[in-house]
Amino acid sequence: MAVRWFYLSALTLSSLGLMCILFTVYWMQSWHGGFAWDGTIFTFNCHPVLMVAGMVVLYSAASLVYRLPQSWVGSKLPWKIVHAALHLMAFILTVLGLVAVFKYHNHANIANLYSLHSWLGITTVFLFACQWFLGFAVFLLPWASVWLRRLLKPIHVFFGASILSLAIASVISGINEKLFFSLKNATKPYSSLPGEAVFANSTGMLVVVFALLVLYILQASSWKRPEAGVVTERQPLMHERE
Amino acid sequence: MAVRWFYLSALTLSSLGLMCILFTVYWMQSWHGGFAWDGTIFTFNCHPVLMVAGMVVLYSAASLVYRLPQSWVGSKLPWKIVHAALHLMAFILTVLGLVAVFKYHNHANIANLYSLHSWLGITTVFLFACQWFLGFAVFLLPWASVWLRRLLKPIHVFFGASILSLAIASVISGINEKLFFSLKNATKPYSSLPGEAVFANSTGMLVVVFALLVLYILQASSWKRPEAGVVTERQPLMHERE
């Protein structure tokens, strides 16, 4: 039952995640002229796409690795490597997303890191970096004691969900800010809800729905890998499939 | 141990929560001329204060009621009433916060509900209303079956934390939006980080720190009321104090 629900949710989540990325690409392509890497406004356009793809969608996929029923049995090590590798890929996309906005700001002589969106965003990426390095050092490398791992695991799990929540707050404030900039002198201002405003607002709400589903699956106890030594009704299910 | 930590955290949280409200009041008082209820911009100034006070600080206090060690023993009913009553007060402040912004918009002929901040904010308040009424009907009134309560409890708990997270995203995007409005034609624009920008950005970050602490305490298992019939090492601790 739990397994069937997991796969249904995984399919829904994958579709929603893909839609979040494609909607952001479509927004930047259709209303802002597409992408480049030359320091112009088209470089800035990579920023929302890379942040949504890295800091929200791939980050969520990486976080959900231990919810895959295949990861519940057998050695945990291969799943730890997948978890860390996917998070590293998410982190690389996120850093590229930051590079895009700094490159554009420096090219256009715009100050960096002044808005609350940027303060929260950079804090979120900093926490993500700390979380990854601490997770790598304590949970993946073999040297940390069981005592230290037990102490840090609830903190690692808490910050995993918190960083996603902060990323959502950053994405929402970022989309909001971008619309105030781009629809400032438009013939149809933001307040008259032109097509771009409705589309980008909807993209923001879609990102929220996606993240809420991810957070729900992360905390739902029936999808968690059983602790070592604990036998549940799920494990025989897995053996039956082998 | 857990009890001592709880009280230390409660003291820290109360101070931080109070600071969040006072900082928002100071921002509106010092840079925007204070408060009124006549439909002018001074009516709008009530909006951020009421939202931070209701939707963040009082909401958090109401959510943490079951973490009070006093609530771990004896009848749950009085604590349910306190939980529901505090959330109702938080909801009333939140609705007054909405009234403030609608009153100002209507008075100044500004469109309502166009920004992503407003879309997310109104969704958050709607979810809060649903959560309160469903919680009241299922958990406080005596007619719901044990089966229904067990089914809805994890959903109630999940949405409790989620609504706070969405409120934070709304507050961050709201502060960001307000600063882009108020520092648009200023002699020192937002990008040059004038005093108001630093102060309001810091208030936003303070709200984030406060909410993260609340969410941590909400999910920390050692501070949860033991389930009926489960005896833990905390319960004798409570009896010793009586």
Side-chain angles (χ1 to χ4, degrees):
Chain A
M1 181 65 177
V3 175
R4 205 173 57 207
W5 269 108
F6 178 84
Y7 283 112
L8 190 65
S9 308
L11 191 69
T12 312
L13 266 188
S14 310
S15 316
L16 276 179
L18 198 64
M19 277 168 70
C20 289
I21 300 173
L22 291 178
F23 275 33
T24 317
V25 170
Y26 187 79
W27 175 29
M28 288 297 121
Q29 185 69 52
S30 294
W31 282 281
H32 295 282
F35 308 92
W37 201 251
D38 54 2
T40 61
I41 187 73
F42 307 113
T43 307
F44 173 86
N45 294 349
C46 302
H47 173 66
V49 173
L50 286 163
M51 294 326 254
V52 168
M55 195 71 240
V56 179
V57 181
L58 194 52
Y59 181 97
S60 297
S63 302
L64 287 169
V65 157
Y66 297 124
R67 300 301 178 278
L68 280 169
Q70 288 85 346
S71 78
W72 294 345
V73 284
S75 168
K76 203 174 176 179
L77 188 64
W79 300 102
K80 282 190 182 185
I81 295 170
V82 174
H83 183 71
L86 285 175
H87 270 304
L88 186 61
M89 285 166 62
F91 187 69
I92 291 169
L93 289 185
T94 303
V95 170
L96 285 174
L98 286 189
V99 171
V101 66
F102 278 96
K103 200 174 159 80
Y104 163 64
H105 276 196
N106 294 340
H107 186 263
N109 263 330
I110 298 170
N112 289 306
L113 295 175
Y114 66 87
S115 73
L116 180 54
H117 159 69
S118 66
W119 283 29
L120 183 65
I122 205 82
T123 305
T124 308
V125 178
F126 174 74
L127 287 174
F128 185 13
C130 295
Q131 170 89 339
W132 195 89
F133 282 107
L134 206 68
F136 180 76
V138 173
F139 299 110
L140 194 62
L141 295 182
W143 301 305
S145 68
V146 174
W147 173 84
L148 185 64
R149 288 183 183 192
R150 279 213 185 122
L151 183 77
L152 285 184
K153 196 178 163 189
I155 296 169
H156 185 74
V157 168
F158 173 74
F159 272 97
S162 298
I163 289 166
L164 180 60
S165 303
L166 297 183
I168 298 309
S170 306
V171 166
I172 293 298
S173 54
I175 296 176
N176 206 46
E177 178 177 318
K178 176 68 187 167
L179 288 170
F180 272 105
F181 273 128
S182 66
L183 298 169
K184 200 166 48 180
N185 301 315
T187 45
K188 285 193 83 185
Y190 194 4
S191 59
S192 69
L193 277 175
E196 179 184 355
V198 174
F199 187 83
N201 279 2
S202 305
T203 304
M205 296 305 287
L206 190 72
V207 169
V208 167
V209 171
F210 171 79
L212 284 183
L213 267 170
V214 171
L215 290 170
Y216 186 76
I217 293 180
L218 279 177
Q219 64 89 49
S221 54
S222 61
W223 282 325
K224 282 181 187 160
R225 179 188 162 100
E227 289 296 322
V230 177
V231 178
T232 74
E233 81 269 31
R234 287 171 297 176
Q235 283 169 319
L237 251 175
M238 292 309 301
H239 290 300
E240 281 162 24
R241 298 166 139 251
E242 281 164 10
Chain B
M1 180 65 177
V3 175
R4 207 173 56 209
W5 269 107
F6 178 84
Y7 282 111
L8 190 66
S9 309
L11 192 69
T12 312
L13 266 187
S14 310
S15 316
L16 276 177
L18 198 64
M19 278 169 69
C20 289
I21 300 172
L22 291 178
F23 275 34
T24 316
V25 169
Y26 187 79
W27 174 29
M28 288 297 120
Q29 185 69 53
S30 294
W31 282 281
H32 295 281
F35 308 94
W37 201 253
D38 54 1
T40 61
I41 186 74
F42 307 113
T43 306
F44 173 85
N45 294 350
C46 302
H47 173 66
V49 173
L50 286 164
M51 293 327 255
V52 169
M55 194 75 239
V56 179
V57 181
L58 193 52
Y59 181 96
S60 297
S63 302
L64 287 169
V65 157
Y66 297 123
R67 300 301 178 277
L68 280 170
Q70 287 85 345
S71 78
W72 293 345
V73 285
S75 168
K76 203 173 176 179
L77 187 64
W79 300 102
K80 282 189 182 184
I81 295 170
V82 175
H83 183 72
L86 284 175
H87 269 305
L88 186 61
M89 284 166 62
F91 187 70
I92 292 168
L93 288 186
T94 303
V95 170
L96 284 175
L98 286 188
V99 171
V101 67
F102 278 95
K103 199 174 160 78
Y104 164 63
H105 276 196
N106 295 340
H107 186 263
N109 263 330
I110 298 170
N112 288 305
L113 296 175
Y114 66 87
S115 73
L116 179 54
H117 159 70
S118 66
W119 283 29
L120 183 65
I122 206 83
T123 305
T124 308
V125 179
F126 174 73
L127 287 175
F128 185 15
C130 295
Q131 169 89 340
W132 194 89
F133 282 107
L134 205 67
F136 179 76
V138 173
F139 299 110
L140 195 61
L141 295 182
W143 301 304
S145 67
V146 174
W147 173 84
L148 185 65
R149 288 184 183 192
R150 280 216 183 118
L151 183 78
L152 285 184
K153 196 180 163 188
I155 296 169
H156 185 75
V157 168
F158 173 73
F159 273 97
S162 298
I163 290 167
L164 180 59
S165 303
L166 297 183
I168 298 310
S170 307
V171 166
I172 293 297
S173 54
I175 296 177
N176 205 47
E177 178 176 318
K178 175 69 188 168
L179 288 170
F180 272 105
F181 273 127
S182 66
L183 297 169
K184 199 167 49 181
N185 301 315
T187 46
K188 286 192 82 182
Y190 194 3
S191 58
S192 69
L193 276 176
E196 179 184 354
V198 174
F199 187 84
N201 279 1
S202 305
T203 304
M205 296 304 287
L206 190 72
V207 169
V208 167
V209 171
F210 172 79
L212 283 183
L213 268 170
V214 171
L215 290 171
Y216 186 77
I217 293 181
L218 279 178
Q219 64 88 49
S221 54
S222 61
W223 282 326
K224 281 181 188 160
R225 179 187 161 101
E227 289 296 321
V230 178
V231 179
T232 74
E233 82 270 33
R234 286 171 297 175
Q235 283 170 319
L237 250 175
M238 292 309 300
H239 289 302
E240 281 162 24
R241 299 167 138 251
E242 282 165 8

